[in-house]
């Protein structure tokens, strides 16, 4: 799980072009949206694509996103349980 | 609004160089790619605006030219009238490549939202809180007369206090942005000849 969390941080920084953010800057429990990393609605769509592309997870209900993308912690837990690749 | 209209300021970005009012202002490394040049030029501005890094290259080009042009300027009532040749083709191709293979069909939402040329003007409106008229034309070369007349109309009708006009062309590593502010103050009259001089 620790490895997955670090991998996720790297992928999020790369995919979302978070230029001045490093893996070390993101804590596992930090909020990804709002006051945390300050991601926006387009970033949320990119995260949905990331789940599909990298882990073979298709979100059928976009409402799930709010809970899944709360933090690195919640994302990693969801990926661990649902990944197909 | 009187009929006195002037080209108050101009900014050109081309070949890794930024010019302000016709004079070289800053030059990036000669062999730098547009991405690297844009990043360095952005750091020169010393602004905290992380969204810049998420923009497509056309928007980055226009963002930089407008930020240098509007330094220490009153931004109230500025309209936007721009044009280019390649529309959003640079980004259109990137989007198309992401949906080329059926087995690897992962269109990026962040790329897709830039598949219209006028999105770069939207980025300027957000950045500078511009809430006036804007139009983006696509033509083989800068439609000088059309843009001159439209800018004059916006000013005479009171729909804008000043107009940011210009050419914002980018395709792959070829780029040229020429932005200029038209308003009631200045020495260089807003004429076809003076506009054409900005492109020399």
């Amino acid at each position: 799980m620790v490895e997955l969390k670090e991998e996720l941080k790297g992928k999020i920084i790369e995919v979302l072009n978070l230029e001045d953010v490093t893996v070390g800057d993101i804590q596992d429990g930090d909020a990804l949206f709002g006051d945390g990393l300050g991601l926006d609605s387009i970033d949320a769509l990119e995260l949905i694509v990331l789940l599909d592309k990298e882990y073979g997870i298709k979100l059928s209900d976009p409402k799930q996103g709010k809970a899944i993308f709360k933090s690195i912690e919640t994302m990693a837990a969801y990926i661990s349980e649902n990944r197909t690749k | 609004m009187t009929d006195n209209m002037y080209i108050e300021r101009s900014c050109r970005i081309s070949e890794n160089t930024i010019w302000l009012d016709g004079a070289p202002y800053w030059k990036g490394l000669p062999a730098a790619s547009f991405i690297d040049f844009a990043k360095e030029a952005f750091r020169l501005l010393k602004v905290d605006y992380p969204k810049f890094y998420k923009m497509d290259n056309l928007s980055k080009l226009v963002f930089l030219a407008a930020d240098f042009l509007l330094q220490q300027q009153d931004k109230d009532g500025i309209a936007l009238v721009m044009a280019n040749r390649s529309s959003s083709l640079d980004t259109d191709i990137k989007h198309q490549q992401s949906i080329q293979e059926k087995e690897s069909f992962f269109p990026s939402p962040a790329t897709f939202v830039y598949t219209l040329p006028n999105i770069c003007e939207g980025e300027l409106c957000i950045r500078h809180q511009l809430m006036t008229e804007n139009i983006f034309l696509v033509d083989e070369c800068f439609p000088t007369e059309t843009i001159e007349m439209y800018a004059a109309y916006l000013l005479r009708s009171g729909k804008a206090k000043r107009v940011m006009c210009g050419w914002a062309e980018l395709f792959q590593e070829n780029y040229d942005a020429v932005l200029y502010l038209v308003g009631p103050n200045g020495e260089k009259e807003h004429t076809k000849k003076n506009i054409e001089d900005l492109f020399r």
Side-chain angles (χ1 to χ4, degrees):
Chain A
M1 186 69 105
V2 173
E3 201 176 303
L4 175 60
K5 286 176 189 169
E6 294 304 295
E7 176 186 294
L8 257 182
K9 291 174 189 175
K11 286 186 190 298
I12 287 173
I13 289 169
E14 183 191 340
V15 169
L16 304 185
N17 292 311
L18 303 178
E19 183 71 14
D20 297 321
V21 180
T22 65
V23 168
D25 293 333
I26 308 174
Q27 302 304 308
D28 295 350
D30 282 354
L32 296 180
F33 293 84
D35 292 337
L37 275 184
L39 306 185
D40 61 22
S41 57
I42 299 296
D43 294 326
L45 294 173
E46 284 291 342
L47 292 182
I48 291 172
V49 173
L50 186 145
L51 284 189
D52 187 3
K53 189 175 181 180
E54 302 292 334
Y55 305 104
I57 299 171
K58 289 188 189 296
L59 280 190
S60 51
D61 181 5
K63 287 177 189 166
Q64 288 179 287
K66 197 171 180 181
I68 297 166
F69 301 134
K70 194 175 173 187
S71 65
I72 292 292
E73 191 88 56
T74 56
M75 267 188 89
Y78 185 81
I79 289 168
S80 294
E81 287 169 20
N82 296 280
R83 66 189 301 171
T84 60
K85 64 179 180 183
Chain B
M1 180 75 206
T2 68
D3 276 354
N4 296 326
M5 289 175 232
Y6 301 91
I7 296 170
E8 296 183 353
R9 286 168 65 85
S10 67
C11 176
R12 184 170 199 172
I13 300 181
S14 183
E15 297 176 346
N16 289 12
T17 307
I18 298 170
W19 286 270
L20 286 178
D21 294 325
Y25 178 74
W26 180 77
K27 195 170 177 58
L29 294 171
S33 64
F34 174 75
I35 287 284
D36 290 338
F37 165 77
K39 205 180 282 185
E40 286 303 305
F42 177 69
R43 286 179 181 146
L44 203 64
L45 286 166
K46 293 186 170 60
V47 294
D48 182 23
Y49 203 78
K51 179 79 198 299
F52 176 82
Y53 296 108
K54 300 180 182 220
M55 294 176 190
D56 75 336
N57 285 347
L58 177 62
S59 294
K60 282 189 172 119
L61 176 66
V62 172
F63 179 100
L64 290 169
D67 247 64
F68 284 105
L69 183 70
L70 294 176
Q71 282 178 332
Q72 284 96 47
Q73 294 293 305
D74 178 6
K75 296 169 189 172
D76 182 41
I78 295 179
L80 301 173
V81 182
M82 294 187 191
N84 79 359
R85 181 185 302 119
S86 300
S87 183
S88 56
L89 187 61
D90 187 68
T91 299
D92 297 347
I93 288 173
K94 287 171 186 161
H95 172 63
Q96 200 275 335
Q97 286 168 344
S98 73
I99 58 173
Q100 180 76 21
E101 305 294 333
K102 201 175 177 182
E103 298 74 30
S104 179
F105 189 92
F106 296 107
S108 159
T111 301
F112 180 72
V113 294
Y114 288 101
T115 55
L116 283 171
N118 58 326
I119 301 301
C120 67
E121 289 185 329
E123 292 289 5
L124 294 190
C125 291
I126 294 167
R127 163 74 176 144
H128 300 288
Q129 297 293 296
L130 308 177
M131 287 173 273
T132 51
E133 303 283 325
N134 67 73
I135 185 170
F136 198 105
L137 307 170
V138 177
D139 207 339
E140 274 300 308
C141 55
F142 189 64
T144 310
E145 286 181 21
T146 305
I147 288 196
E148 179 202 359
M149 283 191 291
Y150 191 59
Y153 159 73
L154 289 172
L155 293 169
R156 285 196 185 110
S157 63
K159 291 182 185 292
K161 293 179 181 173
R162 290 195 289 173
V163 186
M164 191 196 302
C165 303
W167 179 249
E169 167 64 16
L170 181 141
F171 182 63
Q172 295 170 344
E173 288 301 315
N174 298 311
Y175 57 92
D176 188 13
V178 180
L179 298 191
Y180 58 95
L181 264 182
V182 181
N185 304 304
E187 294 172 1
K188 191 184 287 185
E189 284 186 43
H190 180 229
T191 62
K192 187 181 172 198
K193 183 193 173 300
N194 283 338
I195 295 169
E196 286 171 348
D197 281 349
L198 300 174
F199 288 79
R200 293 185 209 283

